[in-house]
Amino acid sequence: MEIAARAPRGRSVGIDPSKLMVEIAAKRNRTLIEAGRIDVVLSGVESLPFPDDMFDKALCVHVLYFWKDIEMSLREIGRVLKPGGRLALLFRTNADLKAIASFPAEIYSFPRLADVQTVLERAGMDVHAAGYGANEPALLLATKRFA
């Protein structure tokens, strides 16, 4: 797993709500799991099975399209991040008309960039837009505020 390679002294945890995807990830990463370097957990983002303030960083790549409630999901990610913890979100927005036309609307939801930024702020994070183009994925970086 690329993330584990970039954090040789850390521990990485991947989550997915699909039992099949968790099984595939566990099989592909068996050596790292056995070495205690990573975990793969079956869970939805709306209710993460971790204590408050557990993680230093979180990475979400092309997943928020599937979240039923973006605000609840981002609040939950914020809950498990330590104060000062960082979140990186990579996603296509509603400005990417080609992406919207390519994926079924009943499965994929493409949010407005400003809406995601607002939700992150309400979830207790300071947002730093790192990159954005109408036909490119948006990259948002956010830091959990100290209480």
Side-chain angles (χ1 to χ4, degrees):
M1 172 188 259
E2 180 70 23
I3 292 172
R6 291 180 179 267
R9 294 186 312 263
R11 183 179 183 112
S12 300
V13 178
I15 69 160
D16 200 289
S18 165
K19 184 177 179 184
L20 176 61
M21 294 308 294
V22 167
E23 289 171 358
I24 291 169
K27 185 176 180 180
R28 286 184 181 167
N29 295 285
R30 180 172 317 173
T31 303
L32 289 168
I33 292 170
E34 290 171 355
R37 296 280 323 285
I38 70 167
D39 288 317
V40 182
V41 176
L42 179 65
S43 176
V45 70
E46 300 86 7
S47 181
L48 296 170
F50 308 109
D52 295 357
D53 305 331
M54 180 174 174
F55 295 101
D56 297 308
K57 298 175 184 167
L59 172 65
C60 300
V61 178
H62 294 298
V63 294
L64 81 159
Y65 320 117
F66 308 106
W67 297 345
K68 302 295 182 217
D69 186 330
I70 289 176
E71 185 151 2
M72 178 190 303
S73 299
L74 291 174
R75 283 187 188 278
E76 185 65 358
I77 292 168
R79 179 187 68 77
V80 300
L81 279 175
K82 294 176 182 175
R86 298 185 305 171
L87 167 64
L89 277 175
L90 184 73
F91 61 100
R92 292 192 179 273
T93 70
N94 68 338
D96 189 341
L97 300 179
K98 186 175 180 181
I100 291 171
S102 300
F103 295 96
E106 57 275 359
I107 298 173
Y108 292 81
S109 175
F110 295 90
R112 288 178 357 118
L113 180 63
D115 292 343
V116 177
Q117 289 175 303
T118 298
V119 169
L120 283 166
E121 289 285 341
R122 285 197 305 250
M125 295 188 217
D126 293 322
V127 179
H128 318 280
Y132 176 66
N135 296 316
E136 298 292 326
L139 173 62
L140 289 182
L141 303 176
T143 304
K144 182 176 177 180
R145 291 185 208 108
F146 288 87

